[in-house]
Amino acid sequence: MNYLKNKFLTTQSILILLLFSIIAITILSPIASNNYLPTEGDFKYHVAAIVEATNALHEKQFPIRIAPWQSKGLRNPFFQFYSPLPFTIAAVITLLGQFKNTFISYQVTLFGFLIFAAVYMFRLSKQLTSSTSIGILTGIVYITAPYLLININNRGDFTEAIAQCLIPALVYYNYVIFKNPFKIQAIFLCILCWTALILSHMITFVYTSLFLGLFFIILTSKNSFSANRLFLLGFIYVYSLILTAWFLVPILTTVNKLNINSQIFNPYQFSWLTTLPSLFSIAAVSPRPSPTELKIPLYLSIGWPILFAISMNIFFIFQSSLLKNKLTKTPVIASLIVIFIAIVATWSPINFWSYLPKYLTITQFSYRLLTQTMWLGCILFSFALLELFSKLDARHVIAGIVLLGMSCSSWLMTTDSGLTRALNFTEHPEITAGETNYLENPIELYHYGISLKNIEAAFITSHYFLKLNQPIFLPTNNFLNVPNQQLVLKGHVNKKIRLPVILTFKLGDHSVSQKIESENVEWTIPIAKFIPQTPNDFVMAQIDINTLLASEAIHIDSLRLINPESTPVLPMQTTKKYCQQHGTLIHCMIDVSTQTFVQLPIFYYDKLLKITVNGEAVSYLPSLSFQNFVLAGVKLEAGRYQIDAEFVGCGWANWVSLAGGIFLLLAGSIFLIRPYIHNHA
C-alpha cells in the first residue's frame, strides 16, 4: 500500500491530474450541451454508432461486430470494419452510467482520453528532459493542438480523436523499451497500446506505424548498438497484429469489394485545405476567402507552440555551441527530419500521392497527417524548453499555461447545434452515410467473378418511390447472356400525379418507353432484346420518369428480374417473416414446395458467414435485393428446413487472435505473481 501511495497518490500527481482535467473540460466546452447535437460533421454518425455498440453488448457480442438496428436489421457488420474499441468503451460507459442519452457517453469518453493523452505526453516529456514543469506544459501542448480541437469540436471525428489520444502512451512505451529493453511491464503495455490504436482508427495506425518506425530507424542509425532494440520493437508490433488478426484479416480480404473502396481517392484533390500559410497560421483562418464549400470551420494549422519548437531546435542545431544538452542532439535531429516529412506530406505542394502504394491513400485527406506533427512537435517542444531555461518553476508553468491557452483559443469556436435533440436522436439512431460503407458492392463482386445471374433477382420487393432525377440503377451483369429474361415492375402512381406519365428503361445507347395511363402500374420489359447490344462488361441500366413533380411519383411494389430457366427466389422480405433473432444468430424455419433460392435476412460476405441447414454447414451464394443490397442465400429443394445464419468473421484469424490473447494473459499473470512467489520462497 505504501508503494501504491508513493507512486500514484502524491499531492503533485493529484494536482497535475486536476489541471489536465480542467483543461480537458475547457477543450470540450463547444460541445458541452447534452441537449443538442451539432448538425455538421460526424457527430450524429458516431453517437448512433455508440447506441449500436450498446445494442451489440446487449446481444452479448464480444468483440462487437454487428450494428443490430441498422440496415433494417440485416446484420450490418459495421464494427468488424470500423473502430470497434472506442465504441465499445463508450457503450460500457453508457451501461455503467445507465445513460439514456449516449451523447453524454460520447463526451465522457473523450474527457477521459484527453486526460490519458495529457498524462502520457507528460510522462514522455519527463522521460526526455527529467523536468516536471516541462512535462506539464508539453502535455497541454498536445491536447490543445489545433487538429485535435478540430476533430473533437468541428469534425466530430470521435474515433480519430480517440486514436490521437492513444499516441502519447504508444510513443512513451516504445521510447522506454528502446532505452531499456528489459522493462517487461513496458513491453506488455506497448503491445496493448498498438492493439488499441489498430482497433480505434486504421488511418492513424497506418501512418503512425510509418512515422514512428522512421523515427526509431533514424535513432538506431546513430547508435548501431541499439539495432537489437529495434527488432524488439518490431516483435511488439507484429504481436499486436496477431492480437488484432480477427479485425484486420476480414478488412484485408474484403476491402476491395466494399462500397467504401469507391471513397478512396487521391488526397491531393483536397490539398487546398492545407496550404503552407494556413499550416503556419497562428490563428484559425479559412484556407480560402469566404464563403467556401466548407460546411464546417476546418481551419487547419500546426499550431504556434509546435512551430516555435521547430524553429528553436533548428536554431540550436545550427548554433551547436549554444547547445547545453549534447545528448539531445540525436533525438532532435530525428524528430526534425520526420516532422519535416510530415509537414511536406500534409502540405502536398505536388501530386506525389499518385506514385505511392494505393493503401497509403486511405488517408483521403492529407490534413490527417497533422496527427504526426503533434507528437513529434511535442518532443521538440520539450527539448526547446530544456535548452531555453535552465530551470522552470511554478511561475513559468503558470505563464506557459496562459500563453498556451491564448494560442489555442481561436480553435475553440461555437458549433451550430441546429434543432436535433440528442435524446430524441439516440432513441432512433441512424448511422446514415456510413451505414452502407462496409457492405459488399455488387459491381465489385462482378469484377471478382462472382456471378449473380443464375438466380432470379428481387431488386425491389416493397416500399420504394421512383422520383424525378432519381432513377433506379440496376447492375446488368444479371442480364448478360440469359435468354427469355424479363424485368417486371409493379406499383401504382401517386394520386397527386397527373396522368399519363412516361417510364423509360435505358441500357447503354438503347431505350424503351411505356406510357402509364392508369394508377396501377405493371410493366414487363423485354430484357432479351437488349442482350445482343450489351457490352461484355459491367454497365448500368436505369429506369427513369418524366414527371415534373419530384416527390414520390410512382410507388413501386416490386421490381423483379425473371428468367424461366432460373431458380425462383423467395425474397428476403418474405423469408424474414419466418426468422427470429437469438443473440447473434438468425434462426429461420422455411417451407418450400419446389426448388427455391431462399434469400436470407443477412448481408453476404464471402467466407465470413456461418450458415447451417438442418444443423449442417452449407455453402451460400450472393443475391441482389432492394437498393442493390447483396444478401446471402441458399438453394433448397422442396421440404421443410431449419436455417441458422451468423456473421462470424474469419475463423482462422479468430483463433490466432484468441491464442495470442491467452498467451499474453498467461505471460502477464506470471510476470505479476513472480515477485510475490520470490518474496515468499
Side-chain angles (χ1 to χ4, degrees):
M1 287 298 295
N2 289 333
Y3 169 77
L4 291 174
K5 184 176 180 180
N6 292 336
K7 187 166 184 178
F8 295 111
L9 300 179
T10 64
T11 302
Q12 183 185 74
S13 62
I14 291 172
L15 289 175
I16 291 172
L17 277 174
L18 182 61
L19 172 63
F20 289 154
S21 299
I22 292 171
I23 293 173
I25 292 172
T26 304
I27 289 171
L28 294 171
S29 59
I31 57 169
S33 172
N34 298 331
N35 296 324
Y36 293 96
L37 282 172
T39 55
E40 303 297 347
D42 291 335
F43 291 95
K44 291 182 181 180
Y45 178 98
H46 290 110
V47 170
I50 294 172
V51 177
E52 285 291 64
T54 308
N55 294 335
L57 293 180
H58 280 303
E59 288 188 354
K60 297 182 173 55
Q61 292 185 38
F62 189 81
I64 62 172
R65 299 177 192 264
I66 305 295
W69 190 78
Q70 301 300 313
S71 306
K72 303 182 184 297
L74 296 178
R75 313 305 290 165
N76 186 329
F78 178 82
F79 301 113
Q80 173 64 74
F81 300 99
Y82 183 68
S83 306
L85 182 63
F87 296 122
T88 300
I89 293 171
V92 169
I93 291 172
T94 300
L95 295 174
L96 293 177
Q98 297 183 341
F99 298 128
K100 292 183 178 180
N101 180 359
T102 51
F103 190 40
I104 297 175
S105 309
Y106 179 103
Q107 296 163 322
V108 170
T109 306
L110 283 173
F111 172 74
F113 272 92
L114 281 169
I115 297 172
F116 180 83
V119 166
Y120 269 97
M121 188 51 72
F122 162 79
R123 294 185 69 183
L124 175 62
S125 177
K126 193 172 180 180
Q127 176 80 16
L128 294 170
T129 65
S130 302
S131 170
T132 299
S133 298
I134 293 176
I136 291 171
L137 293 175
T138 306
I140 296 172
V141 168
Y142 190 85
I143 63 174
T144 58
Y147 185 48
L148 181 56
L149 299 184
I150 288 170
N151 276 338
I152 291 173
N153 296 315
N154 302 108
R155 294 184 67 223
D157 200 329
F158 176 73
T159 54
E160 187 172 357
I162 296 299
Q164 288 174 297
C165 291
L166 288 168
I167 288 177
L170 179 68
V171 178
Y172 171 77
Y173 285 120
N174 274 278
Y175 187 78
V176 167
I177 294 165
F178 188 78
K179 299 297 288 185
N180 184 356
F182 300 104
K183 292 266 189 179
I184 306 299
Q185 183 181 11
I187 292 174
F188 282 108
L189 293 174
C190 191
I191 291 173
L192 293 179
C193 285
W194 274 119
T195 301
L197 185 62
I198 293 169
L199 298 177
S200 294
H201 199 252
M202 279 295 295
I203 295 172
T204 305
F205 160 69
V206 168
Y207 279 93
T208 302
S209 301
L210 293 173
F211 284 92
L212 189 60
L214 180 60
F215 176 77
F216 283 111
I217 287 172
I218 295 172
L219 289 184
T220 303
S221 67
K222 299 292 183 180
N223 301 283
S224 58
F225 68 89
S226 58
N228 290 335
R229 302 176 186 183
L230 192 63
F231 284 116
L232 177 58
L233 294 182
F235 167 78
I236 291 169
Y237 183 83
V238 171
Y239 201 91
S240 70
L241 298 180
I242 291 173
L243 290 180
T244 55
W246 69 269
F247 175 69
L248 292 174
V249 172
I251 293 176
L252 295 174
T253 56
T254 63
V255 66
N256 290 331
K257 305 173 189 175
L258 303 181
N259 288 325
I260 198 168
N261 189 51
S262 63
Q263 299 177 27
I264 298 175
F265 46 79
N266 190 326
Y268 183 72
Q269 297 177 35
F270 291 91
S271 60
W272 63 270
L273 287 166
T274 52
T275 61
L276 207 58
S278 296
L279 294 177
F280 287 178
S281 174
I282 61 174
V285 294
S286 173
R288 286 183 178 177
S290 295
T292 71
E293 56 265 46
L294 293 177
K295 293 183 178 180
I296 56 177
L298 202 60
Y299 305 152
L300 300 154
S301 175
I302 296 169
W304 75 257
I306 292 176
L307 291 171
F308 157 79
I310 294 171
S311 58
M312 292 307 304
N313 279 284
I314 291 174
F315 172 78
F316 284 122
I317 289 295
F318 284 100
Q319 297 292 328
S320 55
S321 60
L322 301 177
L323 195 64
K324 294 181 289 186
N325 300 279
K326 304 297 183 182
L327 294 177
T328 66
K329 188 171 182 178
T330 299
V332 166
I333 291 174
S335 300
L336 285 173
I337 292 173
V338 180
I339 201 171
F340 174 77
I341 295 172
I343 291 172
V344 172
T346 304
W347 174 25
S348 294
I350 58 174
N351 186 14
F352 63 86
W353 295 97
S354 297
Y355 303 98
L356 298 181
K358 184 181 177 181
Y359 77 90
L360 289 179
T361 62
I362 65 168
T363 186
Q364 295 177 305
F365 307 98
S366 64
Y367 61 68
R368 282 191 162 128
L369 298 181
L370 284 171
T371 297
Q372 309 309 316
T373 69
M374 289 167 55
W375 65 268
L376 289 161
C378 284
I379 291 174
L380 293 172
F381 184 83
S382 297
F383 287 135
L385 292 187
L386 186 66
E387 293 298 330
L388 287 172
F389 301 97
S390 56
K391 184 179 180 181
L392 273 73
D393 56 27
R395 293 172 300 173
H396 294 100
V397 173
I398 293 170
I401 292 172
V402 172
L403 291 173
L404 292 175
M406 293 170 61
S407 74
C408 73
S409 60
S410 67
W411 280 276
L412 290 172
M413 58 191 73
T414 303
T415 55
D416 175 18
S417 293
L419 298 174
T420 304
R421 286 190 172 272
L423 185 58
N424 293 344
F425 177 76
T426 56
E427 290 176 351
H428 303 283
E430 291 186 9
I431 298 178
T432 58
E435 176 187 356
T436 60
N437 281 352
Y438 306 104
L439 302 182
E440 295 268 16
N441 187 315
I443 301 176
E444 298 300 337
L445 285 175
Y446 171 66
H447 285 307
Y448 273 81
I450 300 175
S451 175
L452 305 177
K453 68 184 180 183
N454 295 324
I455 57 174
E456 180 182 311
F459 293 116
I460 297 173
T461 54
S462 67
H463 306 301
Y464 191 91
F465 291 104
L466 186 59
K467 305 177 183 180
L468 178 69
N469 295 327
Q470 294 184 24
I472 303 170
F473 290 98
L474 308 175
T476 58
N477 56 297
N478 285 72
F479 305 162
L480 300 184
N481 302 318
V482 181
N484 304 319
Q485 200 162 199
Q486 296 176 330
L487 189 65
V488 179
L489 183 150
K490 294 182 180 180
H492 57 271
V493 180
N494 190 324
K495 293 181 179 180
K496 297 179 180 180
I497 302 297
R498 181 180 298 176
L499 296 173
V501 296
I502 304 296
L503 285 174
T504 303
F505 175 80
K506 299 176 183 177
L507 182 58
D509 296 329
H510 303 272
S511 65
V512 60
S513 297
Q514 176 75 21
K515 181 184 289 188
I516 306 299
E517 298 183 303
S518 64
E519 289 186 4
N520 294 323
V521 179
E522 184 168 348
W523 183 26
T524 300
I525 306 169
I527 299 297
K529 66 178 292 185
F530 290 92
I531 291 175
Q533 289 83 28
T534 304
N536 189 25
D537 198 358
F538 188 92
V539 296
M540 296 301 288
Q542 69 180 66
I543 299 175
D544 210 344
I545 190 168
N546 72 331
T547 176
L548 297 178
L549 298 177
S551 62
E552 303 180 359
I554 290 184
H555 180 199
I556 297 177
D557 298 318
S558 67
L559 178 63
R560 305 169 73 87
L561 187 65
I562 298 174
N563 175 21
E565 300 176 6
S566 67
T567 304
V569 65
L570 186 67
M572 177 274 299
Q573 301 284 10
T574 303
T575 307
K576 198 172 184 181
K577 298 175 184 177
Y578 304 101
C579 297
Q580 292 181 330
Q581 189 76 37
H582 297 292
T584 60
L585 189 71
I586 297 174
H587 178 77
C588 305
M589 296 299 300
I590 302 294
D591 288 299
V592 292
S593 58
T594 184
Q595 186 187 63
T596 305
F597 183 87
V598 178
Q599 204 172 57
L600 298 173
I602 187 169
F603 287 114
Y604 171 85
Y605 290 89
D606 187 26
K607 299 177 182 177
L608 301 182
L609 305 180
K610 180 181 179 181
I611 297 179
T612 62
V613 176
N614 294 337
E616 295 185 5
V618 297
S619 59
Y620 53 91
L621 296 169
S623 64
L624 288 176
S625 183
F626 69 101
Q627 299 175 351
N628 283 345
F629 284 169
V630 183
L631 302 180
V634 291
K635 279 186 178 181
L636 301 176
E637 300 296 331
R640 180 174 175 82
Y641 298 92
Q642 175 185 314
I643 306 174
D644 295 322
E646 184 180 14
F647 183 97
V648 294
C650 180
W652 68 264
N654 294 340
W655 283 108
V656 167
S657 293
L658 180 61
I662 291 173
F663 181 81
L664 186 68
L665 186 63
L666 291 175
S669 300
I670 293 170
F671 171 75
L672 289 174
I673 65 174
R674 188 179 60 177
Y676 177 83
I677 296 173
H678 178 76
N679 292 335
H680 292 80

